[in-house]
Amino acid sequence: MNTIRTLALASAALFATSLVHAQNKLKVGLMLPATGTFASLGTAIENGFRLYVTEQGGKLSGREIEFVKVDDESDPAKATDNVNKLIKRDNVDVLVGTVHSGVAMAMAKVAKETGTPFIVANAGAGAITGPMCAQNIFRSSFSNWQPGYAMGDVVAKKGHKKVVTITWKYAAGDESVAGFKESFEKAGGQVVKELNVPFPNVEFQALLTEIAATKPDAVYTFFAGGGAVKFVKDYAAAGLRKSIPLYGAGFLTDGTLEAQGADADGILTTLHYSDQLNTPRDSAFRLAYAKQFKLQPDVYAVQGYDAAQMLAAGLSAVKGDLSRKAEFAAGIEKARIDSPRGPFTVSRSHNPVQDIYLRQVTGKENKLVGIASKSLADPGRGCRL
Ligand code: BEZ
């Protein structure tokens, strides 16, 4: 009798707590770039996130979503202040962001210290799902290592032996090149030169001259956003397009093709999304996105959409009560996210385990060529969870 009463009281208390949570709005702190070379990437992530929330009627697990936004300017020097404002001044319940790896690492540090749930919707910094990994930190995107590692094999199989790499000198560029080098050199190739410009510099001329003089079999590169547009156009203008094939992590040609025009035609890249997946799930997503925003979606939109799906999976496991942190995390760990890119789960260190596609630019699209690496998991080096 006592046991029955205790159980009844406990479930009544749980029901009352759920009701209280259902009445409170859930504050999502969106920290994304609204200015600078990554501005359009930030817009696509926010659009994707909002699309999923709209599809759920504006609520996740009964809680209305309220957004608090910060333009992080892709500036790591301002990142700690910006994230502290969201957490301490605005009292956000969840953090979602950002594009730049250096900014995201600062966010992860504060999220880890404060226990604030954090879903990384782009930045691929290895540290976030490596040494800095935490119960409350998840990624809906990729690790910088993943597309680079997949491309090393592709370039080796094409028969190229000597490659020059060129990228921005910061975590994303360094790690993308390291991933490429790891698989390319394992397959017998050699990276003969690693060229860099500081982020967000786009003065490529001197380095393109150096590439022409080195005469490698191919070039591997990581650039994104406005920098990727400029690099592809400068590579073509320098006359290198026909003599030295250009390969890249797919950010080189995602969300950039309108601006790159014919200069991008034929470029092969690796990424966890393609414009031509032609699955019912992706087609429905693309249609809904185009209808709501009058824009074509890209990989960043998918990552935003999936960040919202991951949040929904965690919230559903705790019926909207974010104070149940371990159960919230377990909800995401167990989820199979029905992504437009194809379904995925997260690894032990909370990074998507996903197919990496080989794509080729044809017209204004990244057309699917095949799967470069099936169910590729980031090694999560240094993560203790
Ligand atoms: C990064 O900083 O991690 C990043 C930025 C743009 C595209 C991909 C990765």
Side-chain angles (χ1 to χ4, degrees), residues 42-335:
T43 304
I45 290 171
E46 179 175 345
N47 287 349
F49 195 98
R50 284 183 185 272
L51 175 62
Y52 184 75
V53 173
T54 304
E55 286 175 355
Q56 308 311 304
K59 289 183 179 179
L60 300 181
S61 285
R63 293 187 71 176
E64 208 175 304
I65 304 298
E66 178 184 335
F67 293 100
V68 184
K69 290 172 37 169
V70 166
D71 173 9
D72 67 37
E73 304 169 52
S74 295
D75 186 350
K78 297 181 182 161
T80 304
D81 277 354
N82 279 332
V83 72
N84 274 325
K85 269 185 225 152
L86 284 175
I87 293 178
K88 295 181 183 150
R89 185 193 64 190
D90 302 321
N91 291 314
V92 299
D93 298 297
V94 183
L95 275 176
V96 174
T98 188
V99 172
H100 186 287
S101 274
V103 176
M105 283 191 274
M107 293 173 79
K109 185 167 181 290
V110 179
K112 193 168 175 166
E113 283 161 8
T114 57
T116 312
F118 177 27
I119 303 178
V120 183
N122 182 71
I128 294 173
T129 48
M132 300 176 81
C133 73
Q135 185 193 49
N136 58 313
I137 301 177
F138 289 86
R139 186 148 49 201
S140 67
S141 51
F142 59 91
S143 74
N144 291 318
W145 177 91
Q146 282 177 311
Y149 186 83
M151 188 47 109
D153 269 339
V154 171
V155 173
K157 282 190 186 120
K158 293 263 175 210
H160 301 307
K161 298 283 181 234
K162 292 195 186 307
V163 165
V164 169
T165 64
I166 177 165
T167 186
W168 277 313
K169 184 76 202 146
Y170 82 109
D174 291 347
E175 292 169 10
S176 182
V177 164
F180 172 82
K181 194 171 169 179
E182 188 180 329
S183 58
F184 182 60
E185 296 202 334
K186 220 190 282 171
Q190 194 192 354
V191 171
V192 292
K193 223 172 234 179
E194 296 182 31
L195 303 175
N196 298 289
V197 288
F199 177 88
N201 191 323
V202 289
E203 294 313 315
F204 301 122
Q205 218 44 58
L207 297 182
L208 291 173
T209 306
E210 194 172 341
I211 291 173
T214 308
K215 296 191 177 64
D217 299 333
V219 167
Y220 173 77
T221 188
F222 165 89
F223 287 108
V229 172
K230 174 86 166 37
F231 183 76
V232 164
K233 293 190 93 51
D234 285 4
Y235 197 84
L240 295 176
R241 228 170 76 98
K242 293 207 171 65
S243 52
I244 308 173
L246 178 64
Y247 298 88
F251 314 104
L252 187 68
T253 57
D254 230 82
T256 54
L257 290 175
E258 280 299 329
Q260 287 163 335
D263 288 341
D265 259 349
I267 296 179
L268 283 164
T269 63
T270 40
L271 203 64
H272 47 289
Y273 190 56
S274 150
D275 297 318
Q276 287 276 320
L277 291 178
N278 285 329
T279 58
R281 180 70 180 100
D282 188 46
S283 302
F285 164 77
R286 294 182 75 86
L287 195 65
Y289 189 94
K291 222 165 142 186
Q292 186 159 332
F293 302 108
K294 313 284 175 259
L295 286 170
Q296 286 305 309
D298 54 23
V299 71
Y300 309 104
V302 171
Q303 294 166 176
Y305 188 82
D306 292 341
Q309 292 210 71
M310 289 166 83
L311 175 60
L315 284 171
S316 150
V318 296
K319 300 195 169 45
D321 177 2
L322 264 177
S323 67
R324 293 158 63 190
K325 290 184 190 300
E327 292 159 86
F328 173 80
I332 305 180
E333 284 163 354
K334 286 186 202 135

